[in-house]
Amino acid sequence: MSNKSILTIQNVSFSYGSTPVLKNFSLDVKERDIISLIGPSGFGKTTLLQLIAGDLKPETGTITKIGLWRRVFQKSSLFPWLTVEENIKLGLRGVDSTNTLNFDTIISILDLGRVLKNYPRELSGGQGQRTEIARALIGKPDGLLMDEPFSSLDYLIRHQTRNYLTEILKEYPMTMLLVTHDIPEAVAFTHKTYLMQGQPASRLKEYFNDGDPKELTEKIWNDLEIRNE
Amino acid sequence: MQRVNALSFIFIVMVVGLWAYLSYEQSYSPSVFPYFFDFLKVIGDELKSGRVVNDLIASAFRWSAGLFLSVIFGLPMGLVIGKNKFAQKLLLPYLNFFRCLSPLAWIPFAVIWFGIGDAPVIFLIFLGCVFPILFSTIQAVQNVPKVYDQLAKDYAYSESDYLIDILLPAILPQVVSSLRLMAGLAWIVLVPAEMLAGKEGLGFAIMDARNGLRMDLLVLNMLTIALIAHQIDILLLKLNQKSKVRWGFEQ
């Protein structure tokens, strides 16, 4: 981790029609931070990622991101008419071809070698999600946005996919922002967890995920505003 | 494709046998019930004179031209309307209104505008086929997952790249299905439309045979259309098996 900010969200507000979702929301992400953003459904987590990605424009405030950012979506976004290999290589679009991750290495770490010629419909849930991750990573991004990327996977595959990703991050350190509603996952997988608070979301409570995961999970769970209602 | 199995083979042998028997008995007049043996003879005569082949070539040209024009016009228009809310509001009510109209209702206009010959037939086939391709393209474009648009932005697709590498492949299965429907529809429209052809064409030959009470010739022309239309349908069905299309039917 360094002190250089790679993503700065300053006083961002956003609403869907007359329903405010984010109000004066701020977050500063440093280079090589691996953080998770937690909040119950409807607290604007996905909206925040869409704002960061540029799908939505903030009503007020600014979002500054540095370098190349890629994202992994909640639902499958692989092109069904392309093979796994062709889907992954899409990640090389619009990036400097001399500064990418090695295709064979990433395939080997994510164990996709046997399915390169297959089409997405022929993959298991875990293989599909690993293909999405490979596509996002192959262009060697500076930052990775992940919107509940494991939510469609069953427990074992979810655990396995997380391990693959941890291995990749060890090999190629980068900034990662994981949005999830799964507290144990956030605690186990990232270095820092932010809990979105307020309705509309306006504050963040910060937790360092270096203590006892069980205790930390309990603590965050107790701090969830929805639980106290 | 449904292959000819033993049961269907026995069935057709029985039907042809019955036809041959009734023809042999001559219970009905040949102007009402074509005789099987006249039919066999007319196949030889028509092939020898080359007339059926000329008719087939003329019809195939009109069929392909009508189909081609409807794709050239309907597909891009479907892309524009499918992507554009303003165009949907402006045009959809009228397009929905006109698509319910039989293309044959346009015959008087076809004659006034295009006279007699290939052009009015092509125009009527175009009218019969353009609405299916237009509406299926609009629907296919509207069904393209939103996440593809987000991907296109993330991965720096230009507008032309988006069209060629995302939008067209994403709608291809539905377009191919629609093409199959249109191919059949074009043959259906072709027969009555070719009464405007003036000369040549399988549809024209059917009208001509009817006017001359040549039912044996009429049956030959009918079977030629069915055979060609069926073969084209098999070819288009094979397109569905291609990996760039098949995914659309397996999801």
Side-chain angles (χ1 to χ4, degrees):
Chain A
M1 274 174 272
S2 76
N3 276 327
K4 189 183 160 200
S5 288
I6 189 169
L7 170 67
T8 312
I9 301 168
Q10 267 182 323
N11 297 322
V12 163
S13 299
F14 185 83
S15 44
Y16 288 107
S18 58
T19 313
V21 182
L22 297 169
K23 194 177 172 194
N24 292 328
F25 186 89
S26 297
L27 171 68
D28 186 42
V29 180
K30 305 287 186 205
E31 204 174 33
R32 295 189 182 175
D33 265 355
I34 296 183
I35 62 172
S36 48
L37 208 60
I38 280 222
S41 292
F43 261 58
K45 301 188 301 288
T46 298
T47 304
L48 183 64
L49 278 201
Q50 288 179 322
L51 283 160
I52 295 170
D55 296 337
L56 302 171
K57 295 259 174 288
E59 282 157 11
T60 59
T62 55
I63 296 173
T64 315
K65 57 180 189 215
I66 294 168
L68 179 72
W69 283 75
R70 291 293 195 223
R71 55 180 155 167
V72 178
F73 297 90
Q74 194 171 353
K75 287 181 189 159
S76 172
S77 68
L78 298 175
F79 291 144
W81 57 89
L82 298 182
T83 61
V84 166
E85 183 173 355
E86 289 165 335
N87 265 295
I88 294 172
K89 286 186 172 168
L90 286 184
L92 296 170
R93 287 183 65 97
V95 298
D96 174 9
S97 59
T98 58
N99 185 32
T100 60
L101 297 192
N102 182 280
F103 181 79
D104 294 333
T105 312
I106 205 158
I107 292 311
S108 140
I109 296 176
L110 289 171
D111 191 21
L112 289 167
R114 281 170 303 138
V115 292
L116 283 180
K117 301 289 172 216
N118 288 32
Y119 285 89
R121 62 178 178 274
E122 297 160 347
L123 304 178
S124 67
Q127 287 168 335
Q129 203 57 358
R130 290 194 322 261
T131 306
E132 304 243 1
I133 292 169
R135 182 183 61 193
L137 292 175
I138 188 86
K140 205 175 180 184
D142 301 285
L144 194 61
L145 301 171
M146 303 188 93
D147 185 5
E148 311 240 13
F150 314 118
S151 63
S152 59
L153 306 177
D154 64 47
Y155 179 77
L156 280 176
I157 302 296
R158 172 188 282 232
H159 193 71
Q160 189 194 36
T161 310
R162 274 203 320 248
N163 287 347
Y164 279 121
L165 193 56
T166 308
E167 211 174 314
I168 288 260
L169 290 171
K170 255 189 241 160
E171 192 90 7
Y172 305 105
M174 64 183 73
T175 310
M176 195 187 81
L177 176 59
L178 169 76
V179 157
T180 179
H181 62 262
D182 185 334
I183 302 172
E185 180 171 275
V187 169
F189 185 49
T190 60
H191 301 155
K192 230 185 319 182
T193 299
Y194 287 105
L195 175 65
M196 292 174 88
Q197 292 184 313
Q199 240 176 350
S202 54
R203 310 183 302 278
L204 283 173
K205 191 159 184 182
E206 188 179 43
Y207 306 87
F208 290 93
N209 302 340
D210 47 8
D212 176 33
K214 254 189 172 170
E215 268 177 38
L216 193 56
T217 302
E218 186 101 349
K219 193 164 180 282
I220 298 173
W221 181 236
N222 286 330
D223 289 344
L224 264 178
E225 286 178 357
I226 196 163
R227 189 183 150 86
N228 298 329
E229 273 171 9
Chain B
M1 179 214 163
Q2 203 78 47
R3 281 166 183 254
V4 175
N5 55 40
L7 197 65
S8 62
F9 182 73
I10 292 169
F11 177 73
I12 193 66
V13 167
M14 283 170 67
V15 170
V16 173
L18 185 68
W19 182 15
Y21 172 74
L22 291 174
S23 306
Y24 178 75
E25 287 285 306
Q26 297 196 347
S27 321
Y28 306 97
S29 150
S31 60
V32 178
F33 184 80
Y35 290 168
F36 179 64
F37 307 104
D38 291 348
F39 169 71
L40 290 182
K41 188 174 170 294
V42 92
I43 295 177
D45 293 348
E46 286 293 301
L47 285 175
K48 210 188 279 174
S49 73
R51 198 166 68 167
V52 70
V53 178
N54 284 343
D55 286 337
L56 179 60
I57 292 169
S59 289
F61 165 69
R62 292 165 192 149
W63 177 87
S64 348
L67 213 57
F68 177 74
L69 286 177
S70 53
V71 173
I72 287 294
F73 182 80
L75 186 69
M77 200 166 159
L79 290 173
V80 171
I81 297 174
K83 271 275 162 204
N84 189 317
K85 289 253 179 319
F86 175 76
Q88 284 165 26
K89 281 186 180 163
L90 181 75
L91 297 171
L92 274 183
Y94 305 108
L95 291 170
N96 266 315
F97 180 78
F98 278 106
R99 80 164 162 165
C100 302
L101 205 57
S102 162
L104 303 180
W106 290 89
I107 284 180
F109 280 114
V111 177
I112 292 165
W113 291 341
F114 300 104
I116 296 290
D118 290 337
V121 183
I122 293 169
F123 173 67
L124 292 173
I125 294 173
F126 166 80
L127 282 177
C129 295
V130 73
F131 289 105
I133 182 78
L134 178 65
F135 278 92
S136 79
T137 306
I138 292 172
Q139 199 185 26
V141 169
Q142 288 173 336
N143 287 342
V144 172
K146 278 217 164 51
V147 73
Y148 293 175
D149 293 350
Q150 295 171 330
L151 272 176
K153 193 164 63 58
D154 287 4
Y155 291 94
Y157 279 78
S158 64
E159 278 192 23
S160 58
D161 283 354
Y162 173 78
L163 175 71
I164 292 164
D165 295 334
I166 299 183
L167 194 57
L168 288 178
I171 66 169
L172 191 62
Q174 219 164 321
V175 168
V176 169
S177 282
S178 163
L179 209 58
R180 226 184 123 202
L181 179 83
M182 289 157 62
L185 207 59
W187 285 111
I188 293 172
V189 175
L190 180 111
V191 174
E194 276 192 339
M195 70 176 158
L196 307 180
K199 57 175 182 143
E200 290 178 337
L202 292 167
F204 173 80
I206 285 177
M207 305 289 171
D208 204 34
R210 186 200 63 180
N211 292 340
L213 293 179
R214 286 287 310 278
M215 295 301 153
D216 48 350
L217 195 55
L218 193 145
V219 169
L220 174 69
N221 288 314
M222 281 167 64
L223 291 182
T224 308
I225 288 178
L227 187 72
I228 296 298
H230 185 55
Q231 291 308 309
I232 289 170
D233 191 55
I234 290 170
L235 276 179
L236 288 171
L237 201 57
K238 276 187 182 157
L239 268 185
N240 284 349
Q241 299 306 315
K242 301 279 176 202
S243 59
K244 302 288 178 209
V245 180
R246 201 175 64 201
W247 64 267
F249 306 103
E250 288 182 350
Q251 281 196 323

